[in-house]
Amino acid sequence: MMEPSAGDQNPTPSDYDRLLRLIESQHRILETQSRNIARLQSQSLEQSMMLEVLGRIELRELLVEVRSVIQSRQLTMMETMSQLVQGKSIARWGDGEVKLMLQPEFDLMYQKSNPSLAQDLRDLLTSYESSSDRLLLALPTVFTTRLWMGIWSENWYALAPLLRASKALWGNTHISRPPFFQKHGVDAVAAWRRVWEGKRICVVAGRGSRFELIPELFDNVDSVIRVDSEPTDAYATLPELKKRLRDVGDADLFLLALGPSGTVMAGYLASEEGGRHQAIDIGHLSSSYANVFKGGKIPEQLPQKSSNTAGPRP
């Protein structure tokens, strides 16, 4: 008979003991690594908070000036909504619009830099005094996060003269962002619903846009027309889009979800040339509602939909 090979031998108790000790050793190593990672994350958070504190100290005078130019004449979110209910249009500035306007090398994921776009954004600010009877320009609350401290420090020297060109009140851009729903809850929902109660609306958005006419916000409109634009670099097709919107003759209200191009288009539609329509640069309103009331992701974390999706109708 052949002797059994080493591979045919059954494990012995000592083999099980060695395996158990190995597993226990690996478990201890993983526990140590987990504690080290948690400690590093805590240290990183503390360092980040300290950097923000140091940044506020370093930029104290600049931030005082920013607040004096913006927040000293900025409407609250609810005051901004009251202006919309009364029929005003609104064009909003966020970090993307500021950078596209003032940093020629800056591109957004869905909008490349464009000198004409930058000039259109500047023109809206510098002509605000003459258009403020029908158009509200909206700016963000003055944040002191690392992102916004970077934006203020990099751009304020060029932004301040544009903002000082007028004396009109600024709207609050956060009306279509999660903070509005976080602060005002169902009252924020009611405020938006009053804007389009019983109106014929025209929605202008990029194909595959994350903007949806969710019933919680929009089931009280009279009717809906949808006009699709390009999902990226929408500004390049704005002349064609303006022509298409001139054929939309029976809309009471235009809702624009076009990023920086929506800011420009809102100003155009509210102007004499554009027909003095009410136009709202609405951004990520539906996603912001879902984030607060349904636990959804913040708008920037949501994937783009299929370019063939036109979005639901109420």
Side-chain angles (χ1 to χ4, degrees), residues 52 95 99 144-152:
E52 289 189 14
D95 59 305
K99 289 182 177 180
T144 56
T145 60
R146 290 177 66 184
L147 168 67
W148 275 99
M149 284 191 292
I151 292 171
W152 301 132

Side-chain angles (χ1 to χ4, degrees), residues 4-18:
S5 65
D8 295 330
Q9 295 177 356
N10 292 325
T12 65
S14 60
D15 292 329
Y16 285 116
D17 289 341
R18 284 195 296 270

Side-chain angles (χ1 to χ4, degrees), residues 174 176-183 287-289 291-292 298-299:
H174 303 299
S176 64
R177 301 289 300 172
F180 185 39
F181 295 113
Q182 290 165 353
K183 182 173 183 179
S287 299
S288 296
Y289 171 92
N291 171 249
V292 175
I298 62 173

Side-chain angles (χ1 to χ4, degrees), residues 209-265:
S209 168
R210 293 176 293 218
F211 180 76
E212 294 185 16
L213 294 171
I214 58 175
E216 295 91 338
L217 290 169
F218 296 100
D219 66 1
N220 64 335
V221 305
D222 178 77
S223 60
V224 178
I225 299 169
R226 172 90 182 209
V227 176
D228 285 334
S229 179
E230 294 302 313
T232 59
D233 293 328
Y235 182 80
T237 62
L238 240 55
E240 176 190 347
L241 183 60
K242 290 176 180 178
K243 293 178 183 178
R244 293 168 62 194
L245 294 184
R246 280 197 285 270
D247 295 332
V248 180
D250 59 349
D252 302 311
L253 173 64
F254 289 83
L255 302 182
L256 308 165
L258 285 176
S261 295
T263 304
V264 172
M265 184 60 83

